[in-house]
Amino acid sequence: MKLAVVGGGSTYTPELIDGFARLRDTLPISELVLIDPAADRLELVGGLARRIFAKQGHDGKIVTTSDVDAGVADADAVLLQLRVGGQAARNQDETWPLECGCIGQETTGAGGLAKALRTVPVVLDIAERVRRANPNAWIIDFTNPVGIVTRALLQAGHKAVGLCNVAIGFQRKFAALLEVTPADVHLNHVGLNHLTWETGVRLGGPEGEDVLPKLLAKHSDAIAGDLRLPRAVLDRLGVVPSYYLRYFYAHDEVVRELKTKPSRAAEVAEMEKQLLTMYGDPALDTKPELLAKRGGAFYSEAAVDLAASLLGGGGNPYQVVNTVNNGTLPFLPDDAVIEVQAAIGAQGATPLPVPELDPLYAGLITHVTAYEDLALEAALRGGRDRVFKALLSHPLIGQYEYADALTDKLIAHNQEHLAWA
């Protein structure tokens, strides 16, 4: 089995490599190609990747290349984890929206739109190369904003599934609190990428006992602390929101916090320097502990499970993914991309039925889906007016003065990545 990773020079990659090595019985890889235009980073990461494989007794071949066409040739699956513009662009996404009193974040609000505009055209170009090389290959997208990027891929007719590590993080957390194995925990996870709620926690599978009320009664303080939300919010909702919901439920509080400290991008950039220095040490043959602070926890387990199931292997039959709605949430268009539990197999992802949602959640999902429609239109066709409309529609912006100012800032900071600007 051959897999290719576009963005293979990312400092995330050793996390992925470690999972491939540990879970080789689930996903037997004979060749892994790491693809990245940054040759210096790629060789550091590739060297550590080979040492991790060797240390754990994995006999798969690891190849590095900057040539996308050569790298994806004959690949059974292609993982996308690229960041157009690098941490420098992310730093801008997280800072200039604050000048208008809006959230500065790389996947939602104005910064998230900027990332979508930079990313969608690049991803679609790569996907076309994959289709020419092997039309049967699966594309697994971990590139943010996952929902918008996955929708772009699906609308263009690609075999694609979107992946995020939020759900698997909750699964692992809840399993530890319940003192069961992660495989015992099935989440009723529903929403859009980075806009989700855990409305049930079932033991043993989709039909198992829902222990969420017991979990909240006993562990609300710990869960609320992780989410940085008051326990009273969880008690009143009776569900567990993704930590990204804090941007919506405590917007002004978060803006005040962000204005008083360095951006997350600045922190990550400094961390990446340290990680790359570590990766260059020929004695290092395991992923360093510092990598856990970089983000992407459990990404490798989720990626292995998804790839194995799509390619006919032994992955978990039920996984949380980003896929086409197709009537699952009846208040959304069929072609919307949602993040829910799905049955995964060689045919792709088939969402499991979702109970009727409270208007509190359905309303916000509908609102953000409308924004994503406009964001994708702006990413595909460009133009100041399309950017303005997408920003105006976003629930974290919603005022024409802010949308107007943010449009100018977005274009000014991203001109080198926007062909139409």
Side-chain angles (χ1 to χ4, degrees):
M1 182 183 299
K2 177 179 177 180
L3 264 66
V5 180
V6 180
S10 168
T11 53
Y12 268 138
T13 299
E15 162 71 22
L16 192 61
I17 299 299
D18 179 72
F20 287 161
R22 287 186 293 102
L23 304 171
R24 55 186 174 273
D25 291 339
T26 302
L27 188 68
I29 299 171
S30 56
E31 182 177 355
L32 177 65
V33 184
L34 305 180
I35 306 167
D36 203 292
D40 52 345
R41 291 171 61 109
L42 185 59
E43 286 313 307
L44 291 174
V45 173
L48 175 57
R50 294 184 186 99
R51 295 193 297 274
I52 291 174
F53 265 30
K55 169 85 170 185
Q56 299 197 32
H58 195 303
D59 59 4
K61 177 183 178 183
I62 295 179
V63 178
T64 58
T65 182
S66 60
D67 186 331
V68 174
D69 294 319
V72 303
D74 301 319
D76 296 289
V78 178
L79 278 68
L80 305 181
Q81 59 171 32
L82 58 142
R83 182 183 293 280
V84 180
Q87 293 298 329
R90 176 182 179 177
N91 185 64
Q92 292 179 351
D93 295 344
E94 294 177 343
T95 51
W96 53 262
L98 295 172
E99 297 170 11
C100 295
C102 295
I103 289 288
Q105 212 278 330
E106 65 158 342
T107 65
T108 192
L113 177 61
K115 193 172 196 304
L117 297 181
R118 294 192 304 268
T119 304
V120 166
V122 174
V123 165
L124 289 178
D125 176 69
I126 292 169
E128 284 299 328
R129 294 166 184 264
V130 173
R131 179 151 53 189
R132 289 196 298 268
N134 180 7
N136 293 317
W138 278 102
I139 296 175
I140 298 173
D141 179 60
F142 194 68
T143 296
N144 282 318
V146 167
I148 295 173
V149 172
T150 302
R151 186 166 182 179
L153 288 166
L154 292 173
Q155 285 188 354
H158 299 289
K159 291 179 61 177
V161 180
L163 181 64
C164 180
N165 68 324
V166 168
I168 195 172
F170 275 130
Q171 182 198 42
R172 298 304 198 265
K173 174 70 174 179
F174 296 160
L177 293 174
L178 294 165
E179 298 181 333
V180 299
T181 69
D184 292 325
V185 176
H186 179 94
L187 300 177
N188 291 143
H189 177 106
V190 62
L192 310 177
N193 181 240
H194 291 184
L195 192 87
T196 53
W197 296 263
E198 311 308 323
T199 61
V201 177
R202 299 187 178 275
L203 293 183
E207 305 303 323
E209 177 193 3
D210 182 8
V211 297
L212 179 58
K214 297 177 185 176
L215 187 68
L216 287 174
K218 187 173 182 180
H219 299 290
S220 270
D221 286 334
I223 296 170
D226 285 347
L227 301 174
R228 300 187 63 203
L229 287 170
R231 173 179 173 164
V233 173
L234 269 64
D235 291 342
R236 294 170 74 178
L237 294 179
V239 304
V240 179
S242 158
Y243 47 85
Y244 286 94
L245 265 298
R246 187 168 183 259
Y247 297 123
F248 295 81
Y249 292 165
H251 175 277
D252 294 353
E253 177 184 342
V254 174
V255 168
R256 288 193 294 270
E257 288 176 4
L258 293 174
K259 286 182 174 181
T260 64
K261 61 182 183 180
S263 69
R264 173 63 177 163
E267 295 175 356
V268 170
E270 184 56 38
M271 208 177 300
E272 286 194 332
K273 292 179 184 177
Q274 299 176 52
L275 286 169
L276 289 170
T277 298
M278 293 177 180
Y279 296 172
D281 180 356
L284 183 68
D285 55 10
T286 59
K287 63 177 184 179
E289 291 184 11
L290 179 62
L291 186 56
K293 299 180 180 179
R294 170 67 179 82
F298 309 116
Y299 162 38
S300 59
E301 284 91 338
V304 166
D305 247 1
L306 180 54
S309 295
L310 292 173
L311 299 174
N316 192 321
Y318 302 115
Q319 297 168 45
V320 172
V321 296
N322 285 261
T323 191
V324 67
N325 177 43
N326 218 12
T328 306
L329 300 181
F331 51 86
L332 293 185
D334 283 349
D335 66 349
V337 165
I338 58 175
E339 186 171 292
V340 292
Q341 282 279 6
I344 310 294
Q347 82 289 345
T350 303
L352 300 185
V354 174
E356 184 177 356
L357 276 183
D358 188 302
L360 179 63
Y361 316 122
L364 187 53
I365 291 170
T366 303
H367 193 161
V368 175
T369 297
Y371 152 75
E372 291 190 347
D373 289 346
L374 295 168
L376 183 54
E377 182 76 2
L380 293 173
R381 301 179 62 191
R384 188 187 189 282
D385 284 350
R386 293 188 183 91
V387 173
F388 170 78
K389 288 176 181 177
L391 290 169
L392 185 62
S393 74
H394 200 292
L396 296 181
I397 300 167
Q399 299 184 53
Y400 75 86
E401 287 188 11
Y402 290 168
D404 214 29
L406 288 167
T407 298
D408 290 337
K409 292 178 184 294
L410 186 155
I411 294 171
H413 284 287
N414 289 276
Q415 279 189 322
E416 65 181 296
H417 301 292
L418 305 177
W420 52 267

